[in-house]
Amino acid sequence: MAKRFSAILQLVLLLAVGYAIQMAMDAELINRYYAHVMTIMAIFVVGAVSLNLINGICGQFSLGHAGFMAVGAYTAAIITKNPDLILPAIFTGNIRFILATLLGGMMAALVGFMVGLPSLRLRGDYLAIVTLGFGEIIRILLLNWDFVGGASGYFGLARHTNFFAAFLLSIITITIIRNFIQSSHGRACISIREDEIAAETMGVPTTRYKVIAFVIASFFAGTAGSMMAHLTQMVTPASFTFILSIELLLMVVLGGLGSISGSIGAAIFLTYAAEALRAFRAYRMILYSLLLIFIMLFRPKGLLGNQELSLSLLRESFKNLRARWRRKKKDGITAAAE
Amino acid sequence: MAVLETTNLTIRFGGLTAVSKFNIALEEGELVGLIGPNGAGKTTAFNMLTGVYQPSEGTIAFCDAPLCSATKALQPFQITRRGIARTFQNIRLFKELSVLDNVKIAYHQNVKYGLLPAFLHTAQYQTEEVEIEEKALEFLKIFSLDTKKAEKAKNLPYGEQRRLEIARALATNPKLLLLDEPAAGMNPQETQQLMELINFIRKQFSLTILLIEHDMALVMGVCERIYVLDYGKIIAHGTPAEIRRNPKVIEAYLGEEVAHA
Ligand SMILES: Nc1ncnc2c1ncn2[C@@H]1O[C@H](COP(=O)(O)OP(=O)(O)O)[C@@H](O)[C@H]1O
Ligand SMILES: [Mg+2]
């Protein structure tokens, strides 16, 4: 009970901090550009943490996470732009936006189910191929759908997203996914990553849990898509392409497959880096590929491995560093003595 | 009552018939050995019994209920839930997970709380997780692994990894336990301890056990009955004394041992 209470207290504190930052932004104490970048960071945290559930926690390999963001973005955009379509007209303003974001997530989850079920029944890399194709199919469908503006995109959305909204969504996503991982259902997913055959012979219905993880992740990707659409006030088929999927994948790999805090850190860092290197935007695919190869070669488990960032981990690595340093010094001394 | 009964179990991989017309019957509480030279098809037989492979022909009945027939085949997790557990020849632990979590997975099949309580960590989640933790710890104690509960499975010494794999299998609460070369890679002392462990769990959990083992002395020592597999076919079946005298066995299997000695 005490544990639960402190968890809730922590959440409330976090939200208070987020809200304070938002107030500082409203008062223009934080410059607009930074406010925009910080909002995007929060949205990418949602994208990366949810993708980590598939690729890191469950050990599957999705290459189409941006496609689910697109599904959520367009679904929500259609709802907020048409005052009496899908949702009755009594829901307006931010309430309509929140409901639209939920429905965007649900639509993405539904599509995730339809994509995931056939490909996750099979062992191996079918999911990577299918999700890769799925992202392209979504893009081409949107290009040819005149109702949402075809190639030129869907414009004139109200600006519902602010930093606090994106921050709130990221906190909800992190909390739910972390709680899930700590449950028996989450353990079932992790056991699949560790050894699928052993998991199955321990009584875990592996296909079911792969699909569950995939659908949950798709849901959050959909909500992130809606957030993004109502930040930039438009969606185009080019908003959520393969490059974005690779960016998200890079965040997950860099932060460490299976580490939630790693994904959060990497999402923040890479969003910042992408902004700082805006001048080299044309080369980012090359950069990302090189970075991916580099990580795979030298740090295949990511920066954090599957560990979570915590005080004890920091203390531990500090101790290791110190011990190593002492040893070096001692080696140096003995070497000199010889 | 027969706990396990197979009829004409056969599996082909392309042109290769790995196991053919495999007929065995296990009575409740028996400890039965399955031996044969390398590549005879022993592990493949286990894979069919646990649903990892679909047999090309034949049926499996477990406690008089079909697990696998021409019209239906249960999936491995369903077979586990019916009460068959196994270990693997090449240990398959969840390496990056703690010793405790390895056992906890076994209780997943009994978990009643759904996804929403998992997302929100509700009271129901808390109660059931506490129960799971207690049960898993109790289990580790039986196997003297409780002091290592927080250790990653991959960091255990080899003998303890084998022990954990058995503990984990038993935590699924099986009626029938299939052990695939549990003594492989062990020294004589570890093997002796393992044999004592097998005898102990057999009584403690009133189990029926089917044991694959390469070490003849060991199988002869503990098993009441033995099936001998060679090139996918059962070539002999009987008590250890009968098996030892069987000329076919001597030719197929013991000959190999003698040749090695
Ligand atoms: N998935 C598979 N595909 C093709 N051949 C297989 C497969 N599994 C087992 N086999 C073959 O079946 C035969 C029996 O193997 P196995 O059951 O592992 O033998 P044992 O456990 O008795 O040493 C071997 O010839 C092996 O190559
Ligand atoms: Mg074998």
Side-chain angles (χ1 to χ4, degrees):
Chain A
M1 209 58 223
K3 220 159 112 191
R4 207 174 151 68
F5 180 73
S6 84
I8 289 173
L9 193 71
Q10 238 175 22
L11 265 183
V12 172
L13 269 176
L14 254 176
L15 291 182
V17 169
Y19 196 73
I21 294 177
Q22 179 60 51
M23 289 202 321
M25 285 170 174
D26 290 342
E28 307 238 352
L29 291 174
I30 295 174
N31 120 10
R32 276 202 177 180
Y33 172 68
Y34 286 129
H36 182 75
V37 174
M38 283 166 76
T39 312
I40 290 180
M41 281 176 180
I43 295 172
F44 277 169
V45 165
V46 177
V49 169
S50 56
L51 181 60
N52 197 355
L53 181 60
I54 304 171
N55 287 28
I57 305 298
C58 208
Q60 307 304 301
F61 199 79
S62 168
L63 274 176
H65 214 48
F68 297 103
M69 288 178 76
V71 171
Y74 272 91
T75 307
I78 290 171
I79 295 172
T80 54
K81 205 173 169 207
N82 300 283
D84 53 1
L85 210 61
I86 305 175
L87 277 181
I90 46 161
F91 299 111
T92 54
N94 280 339
I95 303 282
R96 193 173 183 84
F97 165 63
I98 292 171
L99 292 175
T101 301
L102 278 175
L103 284 172
M106 274 146 86
M107 191 65 188
L110 181 69
V111 175
F113 179 75
M114 294 189 305
V115 171
L117 189 61
S119 35
L120 288 165
R121 294 170 73 110
L122 306 164
R123 244 166 244 152
D125 295 328
Y126 295 95
L127 188 69
I129 297 160
V130 170
T131 48
L132 188 67
F134 161 75
E136 276 307 289
I137 289 170
I138 287 288
R139 198 176 65 84
I140 287 163
L141 280 179
L142 292 171
L143 270 179
N144 292 294
W145 193 14
D146 290 332
F147 180 73
V148 291
S152 51
Y154 204 35
F155 283 91
L157 306 178
R159 196 170 189 283
H160 286 291
T161 302
N162 61 8
F163 172 76
F164 185 68
F167 181 78
L168 183 64
L169 179 65
S170 70
I171 297 294
I172 293 173
T173 307
I174 293 165
T175 307
I176 288 185
I177 290 184
R178 193 205 52 195
N179 284 359
F180 174 76
I181 295 169
Q182 292 169 351
S183 75
S184 189
H185 303 291
R187 277 198 298 275
C189 290
I190 297 173
S191 73
I192 297 171
R193 170 190 79 196
E194 291 296 306
D195 191 320
E196 193 167 340
I197 290 178
E200 184 91 19
T201 45
M202 291 299 286
V204 173
T206 52
T207 304
R208 189 188 306 164
Y209 275 97
K210 284 191 277 182
V211 174
I212 285 175
F214 195 73
V215 168
I216 294 173
S218 303
F219 172 85
F220 285 113
T223 60
S226 165
M227 270 299 159
M228 194 61 109
H230 294 89
L231 175 73
T232 53
Q233 296 179 268
M234 57 160 199
V235 251
T236 74
S239 311
F240 303 100
T241 54
F242 176 62
I243 299 191
L244 179 58
S245 293
I246 293 294
E247 248 173 323
L248 292 169
L249 179 67
L250 190 58
M251 290 170 188
V252 171
V253 173
L254 184 70
L257 288 166
S259 167
I260 299 292
S261 37
S263 290
I264 298 169
I268 292 172
F269 170 72
L270 279 182
T271 310
Y272 172 78
E275 285 298 324
L277 301 175
R278 214 160 234 293
F280 306 100
R281 227 174 143 64
Y283 306 105
R284 71 192 153 138
M285 240 359 235
I286 302 176
L287 204 71
Y288 290 160
S289 317
L290 287 178
L291 205 53
L292 263 176
I293 294 171
F294 193 78
I295 298 169
M296 293 299 186
L297 281 179
F298 296 103
R299 202 72 212 191
K301 286 183 168 176
L303 295 183
L304 278 183
N306 54 16
Q307 285 171 304
E308 292 300 340
L309 189 63
S310 65
L311 283 178
S312 58
L313 179 67
L314 283 179
R315 221 174 294 143
E316 198 71 8
S317 27
F318 181 66
K319 251 192 236 157
N320 283 344
L321 263 180
R322 228 172 39 180
R324 207 186 291 171
W325 187 71
R326 274 209 199 119
R327 218 175 305 134
K328 240 192 210 149
K329 215 167 88 178
K330 219 169 98 192
D331 286 352
I333 291 168
T334 39
E338 279 163 13
Chain B
M1 179 192 80
V3 169
L4 182 79
E5 197 164 2
T6 66
T7 39
N8 295 331
L9 216 50
T10 302
I11 188 165
R12 295 181 203 95
F13 297 110
L16 173 88
T17 306
V19 175
S20 111
K21 298 211 162 36
F22 184 76
N23 294 303
I24 63 168
L26 304 182
E27 296 299 319
E28 201 168 340
E30 271 190 308
L31 173 47
V32 176
L34 177 61
I35 64 173
N38 256 331
K42 307 179 294 293
T43 300
T44 305
F46 268 23
N47 282 335
M48 287 193 283
L49 294 178
T50 50
V52 176
Y53 290 165
Q54 296 300 325
S56 314
E57 280 165 36
T59 62
I60 305 168
F62 179 63
C63 299
D64 294 332
L67 291 187
C68 172
S69 61
T71 50
K72 81 166 195 182
L74 293 186
Q75 296 194 282
F77 80 90
Q78 294 170 314
I79 292 176
T80 307
R81 289 168 182 212
R82 292 281 180 93
I84 300 183
R86 75 175 285 185
T87 63
F88 295 88
Q89 184 173 350
N90 318 307
I91 306 176
R92 282 179 178 269
L93 289 171
F94 305 122
K95 293 195 191 76
E96 295 288 336
L97 295 189
S98 70
V99 168
L100 185 63
D101 279 347
N102 264 274
V103 177
K104 276 187 178 176
I105 304 273
Y107 298 112
H108 178 71
Q109 49 175 323
N110 308 323
V111 161
K112 284 191 244 1
Y113 68 82
L115 286 177
L116 211 57
F119 291 153
L120 301 176
H121 282 192
T122 59
Q124 188 193 5
Y125 159 88
Q126 312 273 3
T127 342
E128 284 195 44
E129 282 295 317
V130 169
E131 261 172 45
I132 290 174
E133 173 120 5
E134 278 169 4
K135 274 195 276 184
L137 272 176
E138 238 171 77
F139 231 90
L140 286 181
K141 238 177 232 146
I142 300 178
F143 291 84
S144 331
L145 286 166
D146 51 325
T147 51
K148 303 216 168 174
K149 63 175 181 180
E151 197 115 10
K152 273 189 187 179
K154 67 171 182 189
N155 294 337
L156 292 184
Y158 188 79
E160 283 180 352
Q161 290 197 12
R162 284 264 176 224
R163 193 135 40 97
L164 177 58
E165 209 192 15
I166 295 175
R168 188 183 71 167
L170 285 176
T172 64
N173 192 22
K175 295 191 195 77
L176 172 63
L177 179 64
L178 309 177
L179 297 171
D180 196 345
E181 303 206 21
M186 286 189 170
N187 61 34
Q189 190 202 345
E190 284 173 326
T191 306
Q192 184 56 38
Q193 281 172 354
L194 176 77
M195 283 304 115
E196 282 160 19
L197 182 71
I198 290 175
N199 273 323
F200 166 75
I201 57 173
R202 182 185 174 195
K203 289 193 202 90
Q204 180 85 8
F205 299 96
S206 36
L207 285 172
T208 307
I209 298 178
L210 182 59
L211 172 76
I212 293 180
E213 192 45 73
H214 210 70
D215 185 334
M216 278 296 263
L218 194 156
V219 182
M220 297 284 176
V222 294
C223 294
E224 282 123 36
R225 281 194 302 131
I226 292 170
Y227 290 93
V228 186
L229 206 56
D230 192 24
Y231 292 110
K233 293 195 179 72
I234 293 178
I235 55 164
H237 157 220
T239 63
E242 289 165 350
I243 294 298
R244 212 170 281 149
R245 284 194 305 268
N246 190 313
K248 273 196 206 156
V249 179
I250 296 169
E251 190 188 329
Y253 188 78
L254 296 180
E256 188 197 50
E257 291 271 295
V258 170
H260 276 286

